[in-house]
Amino acid sequence: MSIMKLYYAPGACSMASRISLYEIGQDAEFVKTDIRAKRTEDGRDFREINPLGYVPALELDGGEILTENGAILPYIAGLKPGAPGPQSNPLAEARLHQALGFLSSELHKAFGPFFGNPQGDARDAAMTRLNLRLDYVERYLGDGREHWLGDRFSVADAYAFVILKWANHFGISYSARPNIARYVERIGGRDSVRKALADEGLLQPA
Ligand SMILES: N[C@@H](CCC(=O)N[C@@H](CS)C(=O)NCC(=O)O)C(=O)O
């Protein structure tokens, strides 16, 4: 049986899966992928792994491929029951899916246009859409919660952190959103997150 493989691109949403694997101490191989050229670092056509050409893709021990953050992250959470995602009861499970649904289809996608470096009206429109979601996140995190789902770290935090960090690259500041700023700093201080950033070549030298 071969080892699980995560197909990733540095700093992309696939880092949430890497962080989650580190959190539970799950052995895996990490295969760097060029998501523009659709090639893996070992020279394969990435579309043979995920026909849609995006990361993350998780190749399981038996060779099956799992795609979509919303499926991979709960799968990883389930590898070690009790950590890092709550799966103790139907409502906790539903809250995890609610979080991943929002993060994937609302927050992640609202950052999407910025990767295309929009200008003028296009940037303003993307900013309006993103601000609405960031305002929601700021209020959501303002009830004293330490983590996305309450008092425990979960795969939702891994995903939220990776998405919220993208703001740096696009000159979007959280200075007027202190709850988000504190959250990003708190999650960013975890060993698993620091290791993931370092392993993807993204940790600033001290
Ligand atoms: N629906 C997918 C979207 C994943 C996604 O947007 N991946 C980006 C990186 S963060 C990517 O690989 N983009 C390249 C492409 O779409 O061609 C999911 O939620 O897992």
Side-chain angles (χ1 to χ4, degrees):
M1 214 153 63
S2 61
I3 187 172
M4 189 179 285
K5 287 191 189 69
L6 177 69
Y7 294 86
Y8 79 98
C13 53
S14 43
M15 190 162 45
S17 298
R18 182 192 284 267
I19 293 169
S20 302
L21 290 165
Y22 288 170
E23 282 282 336
I24 62 167
Q26 172 71 44
D27 262 357
E29 196 180 308
F30 297 92
V31 183
K32 193 167 167 181
T33 302
D34 182 334
I35 51 180
R36 287 185 201 282
K38 311 293 179 205
R39 310 277 325 165
T40 63
E41 65 184 337
D42 50 13
R44 285 175 289 158
D45 178 351
F46 182 54
R47 276 168 297 215
E48 285 173 11
I49 292 141
N50 180 3
L52 291 163
Y54 51 68
V55 292
L58 187 67
E59 188 173 328
L60 308 183
D61 297 354
E64 257 188 273
I65 305 284
L66 200 56
T67 62
E68 304 299 327
N69 284 295
I72 294 174
L73 292 170
Y75 176 80
I76 294 172
L79 291 176
K80 189 170 175 191
Q87 294 173 313
S88 45
N89 64 56
L91 183 57
E93 186 106 33
R95 291 289 183 208
L96 175 62
H97 289 291
Q98 179 182 359
L100 297 177
F102 168 76
L103 291 169
S104 169
S105 60
E106 299 299 331
L107 196 59
H108 180 164
K109 290 303 156 195
F111 271 102
F114 291 91
F115 287 95
N117 193 20
Q119 303 294 323
D121 288 353
R123 184 180 164 97
D124 292 348
M127 206 61 238
T128 302
R129 200 176 153 73
L130 178 60
N131 274 332
L132 201 69
R133 283 147 184 85
L134 290 176
D135 287 345
Y136 166 79
V137 174
E138 176 66 12
R139 281 196 306 278
Y140 176 75
L141 295 174
D143 68 357
R145 71 184 56 230
E146 295 256 304
H147 299 99
W148 196 276
L149 293 176
D151 52 7
R152 292 184 58 221
F153 180 88
S154 73
V155 293
D157 294 298
Y159 195 13
F161 171 82
V162 171
I163 299 169
L164 290 168
K165 271 299 262 190
W166 290 336
N168 278 353
H169 300 285
F170 305 127
I172 298 166
S173 155
Y174 293 136
S175 57
R177 293 189 173 103
N179 296 325
I180 296 183
R182 275 195 296 271
Y183 174 80
V184 169
E185 198 170 313
R186 183 179 321 121
I187 304 301
R190 294 181 76 85
D191 290 348
S192 62
V193 176
R194 294 184 62 76
K195 178 167 166 48
L197 288 166
D199 290 352
E200 296 197 2
L202 300 169
L203 206 56
Q204 311 293 339

